[in-house]
Amino acid sequence: MTALFSPYTIKDVTMKNRIVMSPMCMYSCDNEDGLVNDWHMVHYTSRAIGQAGLIMTEATPVTRQGQISPQDLAIWSDDHVAGLKQLTDSIKKYGSKTAIQLGHAGRKAIYDGDTLAPSAIPFDENAKVPKEMTIEEIKETIRAFKKGAIRAKEASFDIIELHGAHGYLISQFLSPLSNKRVDEYGGSLENRFRFLKETIIEVQAVWSGPLFVRISADEYHEDGNSLSDMVTFSSWMRELGVDLVDCSTGGIVRTPIDVYPGYQIRHAETIKKEAAISTGAVGLITTGLQAEEIIKNDRADLVFIGRAFLRDPFWPRTAAKELDVEIETPRQYKRSW
Ligand SMILES: Cc1cc2nc3c(=O)[nH]c(=O)nc-3n(C[C@H](O)[C@H](O)[C@H](O)COP(=O)(O)O)c2cc1C
């Protein structure tokens, strides 16, 4: 058996392999209601039939003000739970574990009213100037993450990931480029980490399952957080009981990124070794050989596959063929595999 197709257990959740469908916004809700519809059922369930170990649904806002787009799946209301439960039931029926990425877009939200951020600094010259959050708004938003976690549990997700990457709200607090606060939520590394820390603690008060955090391990800016700052944040996350750091990069400021196959693996590898925490690698991992090399050499614990999974719902099977291993086959497809 290959490393890629070996099972992986975190707390009481065992994935059948190391392959995660990376969270990807589908911008597909009807009527801006944030509810699961046929598209989500078919799209995610297909990747479960395609043998993903874990399916992570798209960034799901915990408040309407925190939506990336009005067409996102949402979890800001109890009305969202039934559809999400139907979705997790369907994915699990076909053998994959389920994760939800809880998020808040902060200054990058597409929202008619005020957008919120640690400081009143727009993302770029075309973006709205966000409102600097009051302490009460900070506490309220952390409570919204907690409520999101309660609803995620009601919807039977196996794993929760907090979206702390790509320049969204958590990432805005972490970064000195977007956080210029002079109170206890800004300034030092400890202070910039406080919003994430309090969110983790509040979520853990209602959620005992595996908890992942996605970060932007490189901000591609000399005044931004360095990889070594991200190692420090990741060590603090380990001490708080976070199970895995999902290592993406970028999105905090508009800047060109040098993108090449596996361009973010080194971030996952460094954080895994230096912060002694499990990591996920993501970003232009498109072949079975590439994914196998990452897991086999212990450079990361999980591989997150994004666009390759959009092109090929059966990506794990494609990877298995390439690695010349046999994997579980849906009974209905036996004659084709
Ligand atoms: C259509 C699309 C939507 C995405 N939405 C999200 C998202 O909701 N949350 C997130 O953390 N990353 C999101 N991403 C980033 C992916 O999860 C992944 O990190 C990125 O595409 C790099 O991996 P890849 O080269 O395998 O696609 C999105 C990417 C795409 C292509």
Side-chain angles (χ1 to χ4, degrees):
M1 186 42 78
T2 55
L4 183 62
F5 289 98
S6 63
Y8 187 63
T9 300
I10 312 179
K11 294 198 168 127
D12 58 346
V13 177
T14 299
M15 301 165 44
K16 64 181 159 192
N17 59 44
R18 308 301 185 99
I19 301 167
V20 184
M21 180 181 177
S22 204
M24 283 177 285
C25 287
M26 287 288 103
Y27 312 105
S28 291
C29 290
D30 303 312
N31 310 317
E32 308 192 351
D33 56 13
L35 294 171
V36 169
N37 63 23
D38 282 355
W39 171 265
H40 306 100
M41 294 298 293
V42 173
H43 167 68
Y44 289 114
T45 306
S46 302
R47 275 72 187 174
I49 293 173
Q51 304 300 307
L54 175 68
I55 294 186
M56 190 172 292
T57 56
E58 63 197 65
T60 306
V62 295
T63 69
R64 191 184 276 273
Q65 213 172 4
Q67 64 195 12
I68 293 176
S69 89
Q71 290 78 35
D72 299 337
L73 279 181
I75 197 158
W76 66 68
S77 140
D78 291 340
D79 297 342
H80 296 120
V81 173
L84 291 169
K85 173 80 169 69
Q86 210 189 341
L87 184 59
T88 59
D89 284 348
S90 176
I91 294 171
K92 287 182 195 187
K93 183 172 169 191
Y94 293 100
S96 299
K97 299 297 178 189
T98 53
I100 185 166
Q101 189 186 49
L102 298 181
H104 188 299
R107 69 180 183 177
K108 288 173 102 175
I110 298 179
Y111 181 67
D112 281 342
D114 281 339
T115 55
L116 297 178
S119 302
I121 306 169
F123 172 61
D124 62 17
E125 61 284 1
N126 302 317
K128 214 187 240 186
V129 178
K131 177 177 181 297
E132 176 172 319
M133 291 167 85
T134 61
I135 296 290
E136 187 41 39
E137 283 166 335
I138 289 176
K139 303 284 181 201
E140 235 173 73
T141 306
I142 293 171
R143 280 195 294 275
F145 272 98
K146 183 181 194 171
K147 278 195 195 146
I150 293 171
R151 294 183 185 120
K153 192 168 160 185
E154 286 167 4
S156 296
F157 280 97
D158 297 302
I159 294 175
I160 290 180
E161 174 165 286
L162 300 176
H163 196 347
H166 303 164
Y168 295 119
L169 188 65
I170 292 173
S171 165
Q172 288 159 33
F173 271 95
L174 292 176
S175 177
L177 300 171
S178 46
N179 182 349
K180 305 285 183 194
R181 296 180 75 93
V182 291
D183 61 8
E184 68 269 34
Y185 290 94
S188 64
L189 275 184
E190 278 96 335
N191 282 357
R192 300 202 309 274
F193 184 67
R194 194 174 310 282
F195 180 81
L196 175 56
K197 177 180 165 180
E198 292 181 355
T199 304
I200 291 168
I201 291 170
E202 285 302 303
V203 164
Q204 285 170 330
V206 295
W207 174 262
S208 56
L211 182 64
F212 295 3
V213 178
R214 176 167 271 202
I215 58 166
S216 281
D218 196 330
E219 297 187 346
Y220 303 109
H221 193 292
E222 59 182 6
D223 299 325
N225 284 312
S226 64
L227 182 53
S228 110
D229 295 332
M230 289 301 169
V231 168
T232 304
F233 290 145
S234 301
S235 308
W236 292 341
M237 285 191 249
R238 172 179 39 75
E239 285 163 14
L240 287 169
V242 168
D243 296 285
L244 181 139
V245 177
D246 167 11
C247 300
S248 187
T249 67
I252 194 74
V253 286
R254 207 174 276 292
T255 176
I257 301 178
D258 181 19
V259 168
Y260 51 87
Y263 66 107
Q264 297 170 151
I265 300 168
R266 70 181 178 88
H267 303 88
E269 187 173 15
T270 303
I271 287 174
K272 182 172 166 62
K273 300 222 156 60
E274 295 185 13
I277 189 164
S278 300
T279 58
V282 65
L284 279 184
I285 300 166
T286 54
T287 71
L289 282 172
Q290 221 187 338
E292 173 65 10
E293 188 277 330
I294 295 165
I295 304 297
K296 191 173 170 185
N297 293 317
D298 214 18
R299 301 175 74 191
D301 299 84
L302 299 176
V303 288
F304 285 60
I305 308 296
R307 288 159 293 179
F309 241 135
L310 297 185
R311 291 191 289 274
D312 177 4
F314 304 99
W315 188 86
R317 181 256 195 190
T318 306
K321 286 253 174 204
E322 201 187 315
L323 294 168
D324 202 20
V325 286
E326 266 192 38
I327 60 166
E328 202 182 321
T329 306
R331 171 180 62 77
Q332 297 86 340
Y333 293 169
K334 277 225 158 81
R335 288 175 66 181
S336 74
W337 282 39

